[in-house]
Amino acid sequence: LQAFAQDHASARGDYDDRIVINRGIRVQPAWETIESAWFALEERLAAVGGICDEIAAMLSQINPGDILDRDAVLAEANDVYEEGEKLRSGLSRIIGKDDRATVCWLATNRREGTPMLSSAPVNVAETLKAGLFGSRDSVVLTSATLSTDGGFGYIKSRLGADDAREVMLGSPFDYKSSTLMLLPSDMPEPETPGYAVAVQSALIEMVQASEGRALALFTSHAALRTAYNGIKRTLEEQEILVLAQGIDGTPRQLLQVLRENHRVVILGAASFWEGVDVTGEALSLLVIARLPFPVPSDPVFQARSELFDQPFEQYAAPQAILRVKQGFGR
């Protein structure tokens, strides 16, 4: 896998390269080598799984008092068996099968050179219908970020809930009196050389004005690290602590610092766009550095885009709208 990834890596300077495993990839001789290696490994994994299963069966028949920590050893044997089966079925689904309903890809971490195989269903609607909606009398879905363009059409089609009844309720928050929303019109284009410096200058100016109490959301860890290196010294000279996800601690640790010491700005990506709740004045400034459109080269996005006649309007834009709503909710 590592050799295959190196031979097929793109020239992009991304943190990792993702190779979509499509039919064009599967017919290449180098992929046949991977398949042969997998089939040999699969036999050994099956054999190990069989041994773990036999051990578990044997332990279950032994009196708990006859062997030290029998229950713990039995649980561990079962865990090893289940993990092995999960690994075997997952790799078989990616390497051993060519299922057009599933998108598969090979990624390589450029820091460590570690290959990673991943897969995802192209459409989750049928899975949800079979495993959730179809087996229950009723299912209630609630969220502050389910609607786009004034309706639920997008999310219903994605979830396979086309026949669901719907209701849209107003917000309990008085945004008109509590919130000021600003959209700068003088920022350079994101791909131009001056963009990063402009973002850093804007961040410094805004965080100085709010005296910390800030969260800045980024769409990539690379952009986050660039901003972190550009603003940290200036702000910390003014006793405003700059913390970044993936550098200074876990999201939970960073948020706890913000709650306890308001002269803080957190730079976050991914997990900070949703599920983060800091009440009161501890979080008074939210900065969204860039609209969170999906990455065009992402394998799942590419595969799902092919389901639409107008991928940008019907898929990319609604995705970004939902993400902005989630970010704004922080």
Side-chain angles (χ1 to χ4, degrees):
L1 285 170
Q2 201 167 33
F4 186 90
Q6 289 173 351
D7 291 341
H8 292 79
S10 70
R12 302 191 318 269
D14 294 14
Y15 174 69
D16 65 5
D17 277 311
R18 296 183 180 186
I19 301 166
V20 178
I21 304 171
N22 51 29
R23 291 189 175 183
I25 290 291
R26 293 180 187 276
V27 297
Q28 296 186 23
W31 188 257
E32 292 181 8
T33 303
I34 290 175
E35 286 184 332
S36 297
W38 160 241
F39 292 137
L41 174 59
E42 184 179 27
E43 288 185 10
R44 299 192 179 193
L45 283 174
V48 172
I51 292 171
C52 290
D53 197 28
E54 289 176 13
I55 292 173
M58 180 183 67
L59 287 170
S60 65
Q61 295 174 7
I62 295 176
N63 191 306
D66 294 342
I67 184 171
L68 183 65
D69 295 332
R70 188 213 72 163
D71 290 344
V73 177
L74 175 59
E76 186 173 353
N78 282 323
D79 286 346
V80 171
Y81 172 76
E82 289 176 7
E83 285 298 313
E85 285 301 295
K86 187 189 299 181
L87 176 66
R88 189 159 70 98
S89 63
L91 288 172
S92 178
R93 182 172 59 251
I94 296 171
I95 301 177
K97 299 177 183 178
D98 183 12
D99 181 7
R100 301 199 68 179
T102 303
V103 56
C104 306
W105 67 94
L106 167 64
T108 305
N109 185 305
R110 284 198 169 187
R111 287 183 179 176
E112 304 169 1
T114 308
M116 180 174 69
L117 287 166
S118 304
S119 68
V122 175
N123 193 338
V124 299
E126 292 304 318
T127 302
L128 288 174
K129 281 181 180 178
L132 179 62
F133 301 139
S135 59
R136 287 161 176 79
D137 293 332
S138 64
V139 177
V140 181
L141 307 179
T142 64
S143 173
T145 54
L146 283 177
S147 64
T148 56
D149 197 23
F152 298 99
Y154 170 75
I155 199 71
K156 286 166 70 174
S157 67
R158 294 298 304 147
L159 299 181
D162 300 291
D163 299 328
R165 290 179 292 170
E166 61 189 57
V167 60
M168 187 181 300
L169 305 175
S171 173
F173 300 108
D174 184 5
Y175 290 119
K176 287 185 178 180
S177 62
S178 67
T179 305
L180 179 65
M181 189 170 181
L182 303 174
L183 180 65
S185 58
D186 58 351
M187 294 293 289
E189 290 293 324
E191 305 305 329
T192 59
Y195 171 74
V197 174
V199 169
Q200 294 162 27
S201 299
L203 275 172
I204 290 171
E205 191 173 343
M206 287 185 287
V207 173
Q208 286 174 337
S210 67
E211 299 181 343
R213 304 181 300 167
L215 170 63
L217 298 176
F218 293 84
T219 56
S220 76
H221 286 275
L224 182 153
R225 289 191 294 270
T226 299
Y228 177 80
N229 293 328
I231 70 174
K232 185 175 177 64
R233 180 176 177 180
T234 301
L235 288 176
E236 293 194 349
E237 284 176 351
Q238 301 177 42
E239 298 183 344
I240 296 176
L241 184 61
V242 180
L243 302 174
Q245 178 184 356
I247 298 176
D248 297 307
T250 65
R252 178 177 295 181
Q253 292 170 332
L254 302 188
L255 290 168
Q256 189 59 38
V257 175
L258 178 62
R259 292 187 181 102
E260 296 173 354
N261 174 16
H262 294 181
R263 292 185 68 82
V264 174
V265 54
I266 295 176
L267 309 186
S271 57
F272 272 94
W273 282 80
E274 55 189 67
V276 172
D277 185 25
V278 181
T279 58
E281 293 187 358
L283 179 53
S284 298
L285 170 67
L286 176 76
V287 180
I288 294 179
R290 189 173 180 176
L291 289 176
F293 280 99
V295 179
S297 60
D298 178 75
V300 177
F301 176 75
Q302 286 182 338
R304 291 179 179 170
S305 294
E306 294 176 359
L307 302 175
F308 298 92
D309 296 328
Q310 297 176 306
F312 181 81
E313 291 84 355
Q314 295 174 300
Y315 184 49
Q319 286 275 83
I321 290 169
L322 293 179
R323 198 71 167 156
V324 167
K325 284 187 173 185
Q326 290 167 343
F328 176 82
R330 299 316 100 217

